[in-house]
Amino acid sequence: MSYNPVANPGAEATPRAASFDDEQLQPPAPFRDSANLRDSGSYRDSYGVPSNMSYDSAQPLHPAASYQYRDDPHSSAMFSEKDGATYPPSPSGGRYGGKKSRPWWIIPVIIAVIVAIIVAVVVPVYFKVIKPDNNATEASSTTDNPGKPDDGGSQPGSGTTNPDTNTPQLAITGGDGSTVKTEDGSTFTYSNQFGGFWVDDPNDPFNSNAQAQSWSPPLNQSWDWQNNKIRGVNLGGWLVPEPFIVPALFEPYLNSSILARDEWTLSQNMAADTANGGLNQLENHYKTFITEQDFARIAGAGLNWVRLPMPFWAIQKYDSEPFLEHVSWTYALKAFKWARKYGIRINLDLHAVPGSQNGYNHSGKMGMINFLMGVMGYANAERGLDYMRIIVEFISQPEYKNLIPLFGVMNEARTADIGMDVIGSFYLHMHDVLRNVTGIGAGNGPFLSIHDGFQPLAQWADFLPGNDRLALDTHPYMCFSDADSTPLAQKVQRPCTSWAAEYNTSWSSFGVTTAGEWSLAINDCGLWVNGVNAGTRWEGTLSGYSGPTGGDPSGCQDWNNWQTWTPDIKTNLKGVALSSMDALQNWFFWTWKIGNSSISGTVEAPFWSYSLGLENGWMPTDPREAIGACGGGSPASALKPSMTGGAGSGNFAADVRAANPWPPTSLQPGGLQPNQLPSYTQTGTIPTLPAPTFTNAKGQNVNSGGSWTDQSDTTPIFTPISSCTYPDAWNANGIAVPPPCPAAGAAVRFARDRVPMPKRTASP
């Protein structure tokens, strides 16, 4: 899907180019040997790759292969001291007294001493200062990976020596088998059989030399959307807790007067539960559910991206909202640090926006849609766009733009309810506001990912022509339609037949298309998959569902009890995984981890846990095993330059703007007129996201970057007018429009309509 095997034959096998932006990484040695390829013409894993070999998708591609490192983690590429230290100049001679004669041997001794001093001073300066500065050039001009041990074997972490005391310092890099020390002082052994290595230099906290695997470009190189492959996993349930992912958070409140079924009601219950820590229980969850070791394991599993859902209350909340404000941002910063350390890129996803964009339990509050819908739909949209802008201001900084090349502006907006015309107006306006921050063109800020709104991908084929780097996100699941009792073995190829051609077509017609979520859920079994106490389609207990059931006398018991799964079940589930990976091409599995139930003490939604599948044999230990699982056919075309920030991007024709006005002509339900709805005033103080803090090996403060990309962007945020009374912004869909507030005028309502058009900016 992400390439054209005709236009780019053998793309991944192209030797590394001199330019980071144009680089094509070589695969490990087994992939360069055509005898090892599924198809001798190409090894690109895609539904679009023809195959003339039979292949069992559950069979390891290279079960006995040993992937060797290709570069040296001890090399200068891994060390960069920017602590401001100065080094003494080389001796330049001096006075030695009068003309008194000296023994002839003194002159050679003096020369030897001078040479020794030069060696002692200049060599460390070269290896610690000069050579690291040339790291980018060296890395781009070699066909090997930065970080390969010279002997090709596993190496312990590499450290530095304190020039003042000549004592060893903490290791700052390592590959497979190295020891990693975490910020709390604990240690673990890094396991990565794919040539990946970590980098953690306290003197250079934004060092981006780390590499997740040999086939994934290090973070100091730009992602090649045409030829690099996203093999990712979501960190669901971490910063946006969901009942089926972390049931232990919700289970204590099953009998409360307010049932905890989303983060709104969970927060209400926790705040009242002062005996157990109140709302701060959420921070304990943030601390423990995902840790640095998870990021290390993700890289070691052959995965090179994570999708990180975050809520708007990481930035700000209103007093009427019960959420834990700000704290999740602290852990987002930890995620950025850990991802950088292990060479993993981030798709940062705004999972919850004010008022809820879908009414689902992961949007903040379950129930109705109040974003771009209902009486408060316009005000919530303006508020939400401010939060999108604040995030983009942060992640577009030089320190983060290669780490976070993709920003999901809003998760799973229900376009069928909101209206395609309304969502189009909002996305064009969003594009103007955010590209006014980043500038136009490749390298200026992240791709902006929009969800398909549960509409067919073909409906988005010509969406907002002239846009600059919009990406399309889609979430294909097998379990949320009618229950299907077809035997599991017959479902193995279903992703290939159902998804692959559609994804390739979207890649060709829309541009970058990713599967931001998918799972192994062949049915909707699993504790609370449909919501707390909601029941299942499989068992016929889901409220409002009248379709077919699984017809299984044991109900969901056999599917939930993963400890009793047979080898055949695991093999077929692994086959579903491989088919899905190959069909979707650029993907993020939902999700990395499912927490144990506090009642049963075990995972009760096993279809959804990548890590559990790795540990128990139904997920591939090397995602490249998926190469060719769909057999080939219907290849995608190469991305056009306009799809990746090149010529033709960032210029909307007049008719496109006319068809997508802001504010929209009307909102649902009932054709509400935005100029008659409650609105906010654009006079609020900008709540910038705090930057992390770092200290170097000497305990000195290190430059931690900033919080804001565009220093000229001082536009205030939208905020409630103090003299106006507003309806409940989370419960205003279907109520009557209130009388206008005298203090709110048209200038307040439509201030954002005057956002200047983004200007094309030269690639940095």
Side-chain angles (χ1 to χ4, degrees):
M1 180 178 70
S2 64
Y3 72 102
N4 181 348
V6 176
N8 299 277
E12 277 187 344
T14 304
R16 192 177 287 193
S19 166
F20 287 162
D21 291 340
D22 298 330
E23 176 183 353
Q24 304 300 318
L25 299 178
Q26 284 191 341
F31 282 81
R32 296 196 293 270
D33 180 359
S34 62
N36 288 311
L37 307 183
R38 295 180 190 282
D39 183 301
S40 60
S42 172
Y43 65 85
R44 293 290 301 177
D45 47 330
S46 170
Y47 182 74
V49 173
S51 175
N52 50 28
M53 300 175 60
S54 62
Y55 178 66
D56 178 358
S57 62
Q59 178 183 349
L61 182 59
H62 297 293
S66 175
Y67 302 109
Q68 302 296 320
Y69 295 151
R70 294 186 290 161
D71 292 294
D72 186 358
H74 303 288
S75 73
S76 64
M78 309 306 300
F79 308 102
S80 177
E81 290 191 4
K82 298 181 179 178
D83 58 1
T86 58
Y87 298 86
S90 300
S92 57
R95 298 186 60 170
Y96 295 98
K99 298 180 181 179
K100 183 178 180 180
S101 62
R102 296 178 178 82
W104 64 269
W105 49 265
I106 290 181
I107 294 176
V109 169
I110 292 174
I111 293 174
V113 170
I114 292 173
V115 170
I117 293 174
I118 291 174
V119 170
V121 174
V122 174
V123 170
V125 171
Y126 173 77
F127 280 101
K128 291 182 175 292
V129 178
I130 299 172
K131 194 170 183 182
D133 290 340
N134 294 326
N135 171 56
T137 302
E138 294 176 6
S140 67
S141 62
T142 176
T143 58
D144 294 331
N145 261 339
K148 173 184 175 184
D150 291 332
D151 61 5
S154 299
Q155 295 290 316
S158 300
T160 60
T161 299
N162 188 320
D164 298 325
T165 64
N166 202 36
T167 57
Q169 301 299 295
L170 188 67
I172 64 169
T173 182
D176 184 45
S178 61
T179 298
V180 177
K181 186 173 183 180
T182 67
E183 60 187 31
D184 67 2
S186 62
T187 61
F188 65 88
T189 300
Y190 184 54
S191 177
N192 188 315
Q193 300 298 312
F194 305 122
F197 58 88
W198 55 270
V199 177
D200 185 22
D201 185 353
N203 295 317
D204 186 8
F206 295 112
N207 186 306
S208 296
N209 294 335
Q211 193 163 3
Q213 304 88 27
S214 62
W215 62 80
S216 300
L219 297 177
N220 58 20
Q221 298 171 21
S222 298
W223 185 259
D224 182 343
W225 295 94
Q226 177 65 38
N227 295 302
N228 296 146
K229 183 81 65 180
I230 295 176
R231 297 179 174 107
V233 68
N234 280 271
L235 299 179
W238 184 26
L239 305 184
V240 183
E242 297 187 34
F244 91 97
I245 300 177
V246 284
L249 286 181
F250 293 80
E251 285 168 335
Y253 308 110
L254 287 175
N255 297 317
S256 298
S257 58
I258 300 174
L259 178 67
R261 61 177 191 165
D262 50 31
E263 192 157 352
W264 185 287
T265 51
L266 177 67
S267 299
Q268 289 177 319
N269 277 282
M270 283 185 166
D273 185 13
T274 55
N276 288 303
L279 200 53
N280 288 329
Q281 293 176 82
L282 277 173
E283 183 165 14
N284 186 59
H285 160 71
Y286 299 152
K287 287 179 181 177
T288 58
F289 187 65
I290 296 293
T291 66
E292 178 180 338
Q293 195 163 357
D294 287 293
F295 281 79
R297 290 185 63 206
I298 287 168
L303 305 173
N304 52 15
W305 281 68
V306 295
R307 182 169 177 259
L308 179 63
M310 67 171 285
F312 75 83
W313 50 91
I315 303 170
Q316 183 191 64
K317 75 176 187 71
Y318 287 174
D319 290 342
S320 59
E321 296 165 338
F323 308 118
L324 181 62
E325 188 178 30
H326 301 316
V327 178
S328 59
W329 178 249
T330 299
Y331 293 87
L333 290 176
K334 289 182 182 293
F336 300 168
K337 178 182 178 181
W338 296 335
R340 189 187 304 277
K341 181 173 181 176
Y342 295 99
I344 296 169
R345 287 169 172 79
I346 295 176
N347 171 6
L348 188 62
D349 185 76
L350 187 56
H351 224 61
V353 297
S356 177
Q357 71 278 21
N358 53 38
Y360 298 150
N361 61 9
H362 46 71
S363 68
K365 187 176 184 181
M366 187 174 175
M368 62 177 61
I369 302 171
N370 288 277
F371 188 96
L372 289 173
M373 238 186 132
V375 168
M376 289 298 290
Y378 173 67
N380 279 330
E382 290 287 25
R383 179 187 174 197
L385 185 53
D386 275 327
Y387 299 146
M388 296 172 194
R389 167 183 155 227
I390 289 166
I391 292 170
V392 167
E393 285 281 10
F394 189 95
I395 66 176
S396 298
Q397 297 178 96
E399 295 86 354
Y400 296 96
K401 66 177 184 178
N402 279 351
L403 177 69
I404 311 174
L406 188 60
F407 172 48
V409 297
M410 180 168 56
N411 179 63
E412 294 187 344
R414 272 170 44 190
T415 301
D417 298 275
I418 294 171
M420 193 70 181
D421 57 337
V422 174
I423 208 77
S425 292
F426 177 76
Y427 282 151
L428 192 149
H429 182 49
M430 173 274 296
H431 179 282
D432 282 349
V433 171
L434 301 188
R435 289 298 177 219
N436 201 49
V437 169
T438 68
I440 295 294
N444 293 299
F447 270 68
L448 304 174
S449 180
I450 59 175
H451 185 252
D452 67 7
F454 307 107
Q455 304 303 302
L457 292 181
Q459 186 168 327
W460 298 86
D462 196 34
F463 183 71
L464 297 182
N467 72 77
D468 176 40
R469 291 167 296 143
L470 287 184
L472 188 59
D473 176 30
T474 185
H475 300 170
Y477 286 116
M478 293 186 281
C479 63
F480 296 126
S481 54
D482 286 352
D484 180 4
S485 58
T486 301
L488 173 57
Q490 297 179 28
K491 296 179 180 179
V492 169
Q493 285 289 303
R494 187 162 294 176
C496 300
T497 57
S498 299
W499 300 337
E502 183 182 20
Y503 275 71
N504 283 346
T505 300
S506 181
W507 189 271
S508 302
S509 59
F510 179 91
V512 172
T513 304
T514 65
E517 297 181 17
W518 63 279
S519 77
L520 292 185
I522 55 170
N523 57 51
D524 63 341
C525 290
L527 179 66
W528 297 345
V529 165
N530 295 301
V532 176
N533 297 338
T536 68
R537 298 168 182 82
W538 187 258
E539 297 168 305
T541 56
L542 180 64
S543 177
Y545 176 71
S546 58
T549 67
D552 190 337
S554 67
C556 282
Q557 180 177 345
D558 290 345
W559 292 115
N560 293 346
N561 293 341
W562 53 272
Q563 299 92 335
T564 64
W565 286 355
T566 65
D568 281 349
I569 289 176
K570 294 182 180 182
T571 295
N572 286 321
L573 282 176
K574 184 178 178 182
V576 172
L578 295 172
S579 296
S580 299
M581 292 172 180
D582 199 34
L584 301 174
Q585 292 289 292
N586 292 277
W587 47 264
F588 299 87
F589 185 89
W590 186 274
T591 184
W592 172 245
K593 182 178 181 181
I594 298 291
N596 290 340
S597 161
S598 61
I599 297 172
S600 68
T602 189
V603 172
E604 294 196 34
F607 289 141
W608 300 81
S609 176
Y610 200 107
S611 58
L612 187 69
L614 278 178
E615 295 161 3
N616 292 279
W618 64 83
M619 289 299 288
T621 55
D622 183 346
R624 294 172 303 170
E625 293 178 33
I627 296 171
C630 287
S634 304
S637 300
L639 294 169
K640 302 181 183 71
S642 60
M643 296 172 174
T644 55
S649 64
N651 296 301
F652 293 113
D655 61 333
V656 174
R657 290 194 175 278
N660 297 278
W662 186 258
T665 304
S666 63
L667 300 183
Q668 297 299 325
L672 299 169
Q673 300 300 302
N675 63 355
Q676 298 176 6
L677 299 178
S679 59
Y680 296 148
T681 176
Q682 202 169 17
T683 58
T685 302
I686 300 172
T688 56
L689 291 165
T693 56
F694 299 108
T695 55
N696 63 17
K698 298 179 181 179
Q700 300 165 332
N701 289 334
V702 178
N703 176 31
S704 299
S707 298
W708 208 250
T709 297
D710 181 8
Q711 298 301 314
S712 68
D713 178 10
T714 58
T715 306
I717 67 168
F718 280 86
T719 190
I721 301 168
S722 59
S723 58
C724 294
T725 300
Y726 293 88
D728 181 351
W730 293 80
N731 194 31
N733 191 338
I735 69 171
V737 177
C741 174
V748 168
R749 288 191 177 94
F750 303 134
R752 266 258 174 81
D753 199 33
R754 297 192 295 272
V755 170
M757 298 301 128
K759 303 297 183 184
R760 178 166 294 279
T761 307
S763 296

